[in-house]
Amino acid sequence: MEKIELITADITTLKTDAVVNAANNSLMGGGGVDGAIHRAAGPDLKAACRLLGGCKTGQSKLTPGFGLPCKYIIHTVGPVWNNGTEGEAELLASCYRTALELAVAHGVRTIAFPAISTGAYRFPFDKAARIAVATIQQFLENHPEPEKVYLVCLSETNRQQYKRAMNV
Ligand code: AR6
């Protein structure tokens, strides 16, 4: 469990090997954390994303970090919450799993995740936090790397919600 750490920060400032972006299917940028990452990384990121041909919900793709202090950005596409009727929980778990698989394939030792789908995509934070923690824990039980996974909180409320998810 100590491999998972909560951190209150703007994810674009983190010097981890990889940061995860909560993107959309086009991978061409948007609002929220996606907008912040694209602004901070600069226009080269959009050019790189254009070559990736989009990304399916629940899947992940990797680019360099460009203007960000991290080495890589792992773009993942969370599900839009629709009352849990469209496999949102499994798709969200898949985001965390595929991002971690991609990270390991690139030798990433430290990685930071935003709370995927909990903003514009309206996934209830408590549920999303439990899925994030359980999926990361399960991955770490079966893989020696990454050595550190940061869950990035923007608010004290979110931090408390993650803390609760980590105690179950
Ligand atoms: N650092 C860390 N966390 C952040 C930051 C930041 N700089 N900015 C926002 N968050 P969202 P989604 C948190 O809406 O729900 C975009 O337009 C925020 O508080 O960024 O997956 C994409 O292009 C929230 O808890 O992502 C897609 O169209 C969490 O990040 C769509 O939004 C996720 O909120 C994706 O929606």
Side-chain angles (χ1 to χ4, degrees), residues 9-12 21-25 29-37 76 78-79 113-123 125 152-154 158:
D10 172 352
I11 202 166
T12 63
N21 182 19
N24 58 52
N25 295 120
V33 72
D34 195 10
I37 284 176
T76 194
F113 282 93
I116 301 160
S117 282
T118 65
Y121 285 177
R122 304 183 313 275
F123 206 114
F125 199 98
V152 182
C153 321
L154 269 192
N158 289 169

Side-chain angles (χ1 to χ4, degrees), residues 38-136:
H38 272 267
R39 270 193 304 279
D44 288 349
L45 175 58
K46 200 161 186 177
C49 285
R50 189 171 288 121
L51 302 176
L52 295 176
C55 185
K56 288 189 180 141
T57 304
Q59 298 297 307
S60 304
K61 293 196 177 178
L62 178 139
T63 64
F66 298 107
L68 292 189
C70 62
K71 222 179 286 171
Y72 301 114
I73 303 167
I74 296 178
H75 308 264
T76 194
V77 184
V80 177
W81 177 254
N82 191 18
N83 288 315
T85 57
E86 291 173 353
E88 296 94 315
E90 185 39 49
L91 287 167
L92 185 63
S94 172
C95 286
Y96 285 93
R97 226 170 12 241
T98 56
L100 287 166
E101 281 163 1
L102 207 46
V104 165
H106 286 81
V108 164
R109 297 169 72 172
T110 57
I111 182 168
F113 282 93
I116 301 160
S117 282
T118 65
Y121 285 177
R122 304 183 313 275
F123 206 114
F125 199 98
D126 278 317
K127 274 195 215 309
R130 282 197 296 273
I131 292 167
V133 170
T135 308
I136 295 166

Side-chain angles (χ1 to χ4, degrees), residues 1-17:
M1 179 55 104
E2 63 282 359
K3 280 188 165 185
I4 306 179
E5 201 170 300
L6 299 180
I7 182 168
T8 304
D10 172 352
I11 202 166
T12 63
T13 65
L14 298 181
K15 297 179 179 67
T16 44
D17 290 341

